[in-house]
Amino acid sequence: MKKVVKVGMACLLAASMFGCSSSKGEENTKVITIGTSPDYAPYESLDTDGNIVGFDADMVAKFEEYLNEDSDVTYTLEFKQMDFDNIITQIQGDQIDVGISGFSYDPQREVEWSEPYLGSSQVAVLPADSDIKSLADLEGKSVAVQTGSTGEKAAQEIKDANISGLKSVQDIMNALAAHQYDAAIVDGGVAKNYVDNADFIMLDEALLDEQNFIIAKKGNTEIIDLMNKCIEKFLASQDYQDLCSKYGLSPVVTE
């Protein structure tokens, strides 16, 4: 995909737990690479200039600020674009450091999990002229999901559903608009974005309630600890509340 951030081989060879480090006099620099699939507005998408925009992009910008406050290390956070179902593979292969792309918890994913940073759910989106009124009405219908997502698992609970996995949410919604499928199962925030901006409706009842997390390679607790410190500061800030309102996403519910 275009605008892929490339990390030099020298940095990759020098990297220990995460990023690439170099010393310039007294300066220590660390680059943290972030895998994302920018087809998931309002979490992340591409603007007309090909820049990644959305809640996660704004959150990462705040994280970079936090990490560089009163630190003798200069942190740079860089996105690397890829299909959603490739992010975990790239993390496990040490090609990227973390994944930030609306990830919700799945115990079968062999990764480290951060603390949650958003509330979420899996819901059904339908063409505006659909006569489907409830989850029960989805029985036996054709349903599109994003490959590798928890929406794919949620759809498997629909009795006799004919499930098709596609890599891109944008492709899913284009196909749904063309009535190639009866419904799509996507994240609630993503569903709301499409309902607000296109000819879709969504069912009120969720198939699955969940939360969103940052992921890293299994065993890389160092970078997860770093991300958790940023998440804690972010959740306590007014910026967090403002961004949740701006993008129509649900703040994480804490005990």
Side-chain angles (χ1 to χ4, degrees), residues 103-248:
F103 277 95
S104 47
Y105 182 74
D106 183 342
Q108 293 185 353
R109 289 172 173 163
E110 292 294 323
V111 294
E112 294 290 340
W113 298 89
S114 72
E115 294 297 317
Y117 66 91
L118 280 173
S120 182
S121 61
Q122 293 297 320
V123 300
V125 181
L126 319 160
D129 59 357
S130 175
D131 58 1
I132 294 172
K133 304 300 182 185
S134 68
L135 293 181
D137 294 338
L138 291 174
E139 180 177 340
K141 297 295 194 295
S142 60
V143 178
V145 299
Q146 186 173 34
T147 305
S149 69
T150 51
E152 186 173 26
K153 287 195 170 185
Q156 292 169 1
E157 300 301 315
I158 301 171
K159 185 177 180 181
D160 296 329
N162 182 11
I163 301 170
S164 297
L166 286 75
K167 288 184 177 293
S168 164
V169 170
Q170 184 174 339
D171 290 343
I172 289 171
M173 302 310 291
N174 289 340
L176 186 63
H179 292 82
Q180 295 176 21
Y181 302 99
D182 296 311
I185 308 302
V186 296
D187 183 278
V190 176
K192 184 177 184 300
N193 182 72
Y194 276 98
V195 169
D196 289 346
N197 294 286
D199 203 19
F200 298 106
I201 57 175
M202 59 185 284
L203 298 181
D204 292 333
E205 185 181 358
L207 285 86
L208 179 67
D209 290 317
E210 51 192 8
Q211 296 173 313
N212 297 127
F213 303 80
I214 297 170
I215 62 170
K217 186 175 182 179
K218 193 71 174 176
N220 193 352
T221 56
E222 180 182 350
I223 198 167
I224 287 295
D225 288 345
L226 201 65
M227 293 295 100
N228 281 339
K229 290 178 182 177
C230 291
I231 290 171
E232 181 180 6
K233 189 167 187 176
F234 183 50
L235 265 57
S237 71
Q238 185 59 46
D239 290 319
Y240 177 64
Q241 300 299 326
D242 292 346
L243 288 176
C244 287
S245 297
K246 175 182 177 179
Y247 290 108

Side-chain angles (χ1 to χ4, degrees), residues 1-13 19-20 31-35 76-82 90 94-97:
M1 300 178 71
K2 58 185 178 180
K3 297 185 79 68
V4 171
V5 179
K6 296 183 178 179
V7 181
M9 286 304 297
C11 286
L12 289 175
L13 292 172
C20 59
V31 177
I32 299 175
T33 52
I34 303 167
T76 301
L77 277 61
E78 296 181 350
F79 281 107
K80 186 174 181 180
Q81 299 178 39
M82 60 194 65
Q90 293 288 299
D94 295 319
Q95 300 302 303
I96 54 177
D97 300 309

